[in-house]
Amino acid sequence: MTSLNQDIKQKLANLNVLEKIIAINVVIFLLALITRFNFIWFQLPSGFSSFILKPWSLITYAFVHTEFLHMLFNMLWLYFLGRMFLNLFSPKMALNVYFLGAIAGGLLFMFCYSLLPEVFGGNSRLLGASGAVRALLIFLCAYMPNQEIRFFTFNLKLWYIGAAIVVLDVIGVISGINNPVTGNAGGNLAHLGGALLGYFYAKQLVKGQDIGKGFEKFMDYFSNFFKFSKKGPLKTVHKNKSKAGGYNKADFNEFNNQKKIDVILDKISKSGYDSLTSEEKEFLFRAGK
């Protein structure tokens, strides 16, 4: 039993931050399934008066799923997006986008239901990680819109995918309003809230402004839940403006574009996105186009 526990702890320690979030979602879903507990106090209510009584629900709703397929597809999206995101950015930025996306989705949900109750109907509750996952997706689409990914037998630019998904979410809101019994207007509102956050975050980051820094300081109080490495929760960042990716600028400039990208990505994996110089960030952004 001791050996099994150690093996489980070791596997959990080797997970990246978004994979740990996946594990938490799965555990909560299984607990609800086994105990038949609906976690209603962790779901986000549509009314602000009810929300005041359980303010934690603005975040906890994103960890609660009652339907298997809902949880499965959210976690599959999160897994694949997480691999893309963490190849470019730090674990802390991934958490910033994820949680801020959940908060933005929840706020838009409550705002619309409270401001337009005659349109969206009566009281409702929000649950699921879709808004947070949508924030990660649209962030990537906005940060490197012309990056192509393989889709079956042809390539698609990321911004095509992002635009199509946002259009489907808008259609989902309209459909949910017209058919409140079978539709999901509230869930699609959360998707759009997360998408708006992801888009705005990425566009500000391109300008050199990380809007998640304030939230990141708040998250530092809870960093023990997300240990990024065996040596400590954070990687030490060293900036050397006389070098690019660890090479002298003269040597770096001799590389072809692909080699430069590989060097910069290797630097991110070792020291995090914040370790890049402004020139390296600008080159990586241009390469994404």
Side-chain angles (χ1 to χ4, degrees), residues 1-14:
M1 182 63 71
T2 302
S3 176
L4 178 62
N5 290 337
Q6 291 177 345
D7 186 51
I8 293 174
K9 289 180 180 179
Q10 183 176 2
K11 289 181 178 180
L12 289 175
N14 291 331

PDB file of all heavy atoms in Angstrom, residues 1-14:
ATOM      1  N   MET A   1       0.834  -1.209   0.000  1.00  0.00           N
ATOM      2  CA  MET A   1       0.000   0.000   0.000  1.00  0.00           C
ATOM      3  C   MET A   1       0.868   1.258   0.000  1.00  0.00           C
ATOM      4  O   MET A   1       0.578   2.224  -0.681  1.00  0.00           O
ATOM      5  CB  MET A   1      -0.926  -0.018   1.215  1.00  0.00           C
ATOM      6  CG  MET A   1      -1.875   1.180   1.278  1.00  0.00           C
ATOM      7  SD  MET A   1      -3.016   1.247  -0.110  1.00  0.00           S
ATOM      8  CE  MET A   1      -4.080  -0.148   0.287  1.00  0.00           C
ATOM      9  N   THR A   2       1.951   1.214   0.796  1.00  0.00           N
ATOM     10  CA  THR A   2       2.860   2.358   0.847  1.00  0.00           C
ATOM     11  C   THR A   2       3.486   2.614  -0.519  1.00  0.00           C
ATOM     12  O   THR A   2       3.598   3.751  -0.968  1.00  0.00           O
ATOM     13  CB  THR A   2       3.969   2.114   1.892  1.00  0.00           C
ATOM     14  OG1 THR A   2       3.357   1.899   3.158  1.00  0.00           O
ATOM     15  CG2 THR A   2       4.878   3.324   1.973  1.00  0.00           C
ATOM     16  N   SER A   3       3.890   1.527  -1.184  1.00  0.00           N
ATOM     17  CA  SER A   3       4.488   1.651  -2.509  1.00  0.00           C
ATOM     18  C   SER A   3       3.489   2.223  -3.506  1.00  0.00           C
ATOM     19  O   SER A   3       3.837   3.056  -4.355  1.00  0.00           O
ATOM     20  CB  SER A   3       4.979   0.282  -2.991  1.00  0.00           C
ATOM     21  OG  SER A   3       5.484   0.357  -4.293  1.00  0.00           O
ATOM     22  N   LEU A   4       2.228   1.793  -3.396  1.00  0.00           N
ATOM     23  CA  LEU A   4       1.185   2.294  -4.294  1.00  0.00           C
ATOM     24  C   LEU A   4       0.950   3.787  -4.076  1.00  0.00           C
ATOM     25  O   LEU A   4       0.818   4.554  -5.038  1.00  0.00           O
ATOM     26  CB  LEU A   4      -0.115   1.521  -4.075  1.00  0.00           C
ATOM     27  CG  LEU A   4      -1.325   1.969  -4.906  1.00  0.00           C
ATOM     28  CD1 LEU A   4      -1.033   1.801  -6.392  1.00  0.00           C
ATOM     29  CD2 LEU A   4      -2.562   1.172  -4.508  1.00  0.00           C
ATOM     30  N   ASN A   5       0.901   4.188  -2.803  1.00  0.00           N
ATOM     31  CA  ASN A   5       0.705   5.603  -2.490  1.00  0.00           C
ATOM     32  C   ASN A   5       1.846   6.463  -3.025  1.00  0.00           C
ATOM     33  O   ASN A   5       1.630   7.561  -3.546  1.00  0.00           O
ATOM     34  CB  ASN A   5       0.573   5.798  -0.975  1.00  0.00           C
ATOM     35  CG  ASN A   5      -0.736   5.245  -0.441  1.00  0.00           C
ATOM     36  OD1 ASN A   5      -1.704   5.115  -1.180  1.00  0.00           O
ATOM     37  ND2 ASN A   5      -0.754   4.924   0.837  1.00  0.00           N
ATOM     38  N   GLN A   6       3.070   5.963  -2.878  1.00  0.00           N
ATOM     39  CA  GLN A   6       4.223   6.701  -3.377  1.00  0.00           C
ATOM     40  C   GLN A   6       4.187   6.817  -4.896  1.00  0.00           C
ATOM     41  O   GLN A   6       4.539   7.854  -5.467  1.00  0.00           O
ATOM     42  CB  GLN A   6       5.517   6.015  -2.930  1.00  0.00           C
ATOM     43  CG  GLN A   6       5.779   6.124  -1.426  1.00  0.00           C
ATOM     44  CD  GLN A   6       7.033   5.380  -1.009  1.00  0.00           C
ATOM     45  OE1 GLN A   6       7.559   4.559  -1.755  1.00  0.00           O
ATOM     46  NE2 GLN A   6       7.513   5.670   0.196  1.00  0.00           N
ATOM     47  N   ASP A   7       3.743   5.726  -5.547  1.00  0.00           N
ATOM     48  CA  ASP A   7       3.650   5.728  -7.009  1.00  0.00           C
ATOM     49  C   ASP A   7       2.622   6.751  -7.482  1.00  0.00           C
ATOM     50  O   ASP A   7       2.851   7.490  -8.444  1.00  0.00           O
ATOM     51  CB  ASP A   7       3.275   4.334  -7.507  1.00  0.00           C
ATOM     52  CG  ASP A   7       3.304   4.246  -9.030  1.00  0.00           C
ATOM     53  OD1 ASP A   7       4.313   4.651  -9.615  1.00  0.00           O
ATOM     54  OD2 ASP A   7       2.313   3.765  -9.618  1.00  0.00           O
ATOM     55  N   ILE A   8       1.477   6.812  -6.786  1.00  0.00           N
ATOM     56  CA  ILE A   8       0.429   7.776  -7.139  1.00  0.00           C
ATOM     57  C   ILE A   8       0.924   9.203  -6.925  1.00  0.00           C
ATOM     58  O   ILE A   8       0.714  10.083  -7.764  1.00  0.00           O
ATOM     59  CB  ILE A   8      -0.841   7.513  -6.312  1.00  0.00           C
ATOM     60  CG1 ILE A   8      -1.471   6.168  -6.721  1.00  0.00           C
ATOM     61  CG2 ILE A   8      -1.848   8.635  -6.504  1.00  0.00           C
ATOM     62  CD1 ILE A   8      -2.645   5.764  -5.861  1.00  0.00           C
ATOM     63  N   LYS A   9       1.597   9.442  -5.782  1.00  0.00           N
ATOM     64  CA  LYS A   9       2.118  10.777  -5.492  1.00  0.00           C
ATOM     65  C   LYS A   9       3.139  11.206  -6.534  1.00  0.00           C
ATOM     66  O   LYS A   9       3.169  12.368  -6.948  1.00  0.00           O
ATOM     67  CB  LYS A   9       2.748  10.808  -4.092  1.00  0.00           C
ATOM     68  CG  LYS A   9       1.736  10.725  -2.955  1.00  0.00           C
ATOM     69  CD  LYS A   9       2.440  10.767  -1.614  1.00  0.00           C
ATOM     70  CE  LYS A   9       1.439  10.697  -0.468  1.00  0.00           C
ATOM     71  NZ  LYS A   9       2.117  10.716   0.855  1.00  0.00           N
ATOM     72  N   GLN A  10       3.969  10.264  -6.972  1.00  0.00           N
ATOM     73  CA  GLN A  10       4.996  10.586  -7.963  1.00  0.00           C
ATOM     74  C   GLN A  10       4.355  10.946  -9.307  1.00  0.00           C
ATOM     75  O   GLN A  10       4.767  11.902  -9.968  1.00  0.00           O
ATOM     76  CB  GLN A  10       5.951   9.411  -8.145  1.00  0.00           C
ATOM     77  CG  GLN A  10       7.093   9.701  -9.118  1.00  0.00           C
ATOM     78  CD  GLN A  10       8.076   8.559  -9.204  1.00  0.00           C
ATOM     79  OE1 GLN A  10       7.896   7.528  -8.576  1.00  0.00           O
ATOM     80  NE2 GLN A  10       9.123   8.722  -9.992  1.00  0.00           N
ATOM     81  N   LYS A  11       3.323  10.191  -9.680  1.00  0.00           N
ATOM     82  CA  LYS A  11       2.649  10.476 -10.951  1.00  0.00           C
ATOM     83  C   LYS A  11       1.934  11.825 -10.905  1.00  0.00           C
ATOM     84  O   LYS A  11       1.950  12.578 -11.882  1.00  0.00           O
ATOM     85  CB  LYS A  11       1.658   9.360 -11.282  1.00  0.00           C
ATOM     86  CG  LYS A  11       2.335   8.053 -11.688  1.00  0.00           C
ATOM     87  CD  LYS A  11       1.320   6.980 -12.041  1.00  0.00           C
ATOM     88  CE  LYS A  11       2.028   5.709 -12.498  1.00  0.00           C
ATOM     89  NZ  LYS A  11       1.064   4.624 -12.845  1.00  0.00           N
ATOM     90  N   LEU A  12       1.314  12.129  -9.762  1.00  0.00           N
ATOM     91  CA  LEU A  12       0.639  13.420  -9.620  1.00  0.00           C
ATOM     92  C   LEU A  12       1.641  14.569  -9.654  1.00  0.00           C
ATOM     93  O   LEU A  12       1.362  15.633 -10.218  1.00  0.00           O
ATOM     94  CB  LEU A  12      -0.161  13.461  -8.316  1.00  0.00           C
ATOM     95  CG  LEU A  12      -1.421  12.588  -8.265  1.00  0.00           C
ATOM     96  CD1 LEU A  12      -2.037  12.630  -6.878  1.00  0.00           C
ATOM     97  CD2 LEU A  12      -2.437  13.048  -9.309  1.00  0.00           C
ATOM     98  N   ALA A  13       2.809  14.352  -9.052  1.00  0.00           N
ATOM     99  CA  ALA A  13       3.833  15.399  -9.021  1.00  0.00           C
ATOM    100  C   ALA A  13       4.372  15.693 -10.418  1.00  0.00           C
ATOM    101  O   ALA A  13       4.818  16.810 -10.693  1.00  0.00           O
ATOM    102  CB  ALA A  13       4.976  14.987  -8.094  1.00  0.00           C
ATOM    103  N   ASN A  14       4.332  14.692 -11.294  1.00  0.00           N
ATOM    104  CA  ASN A  14       4.855  14.864 -12.648  1.00  0.00           C
ATOM    105  C   ASN A  14       3.856  15.505 -13.603  1.00  0.00           C
ATOM    106  O   ASN A  14       4.203  15.824 -14.741  1.00  0.00           O
ATOM    107  CB  ASN A  14       5.305  13.513 -13.220  1.00  0.00           C
ATOM    108  CG  ASN A  14       6.546  12.976 -12.523  1.00  0.00           C
ATOM    109  OD1 ASN A  14       7.364  13.739 -12.026  1.00  0.00           O
ATOM    110  ND2 ASN A  14       6.674  11.660 -12.473  1.00  0.00           N
TER     111      ASN A  14
END
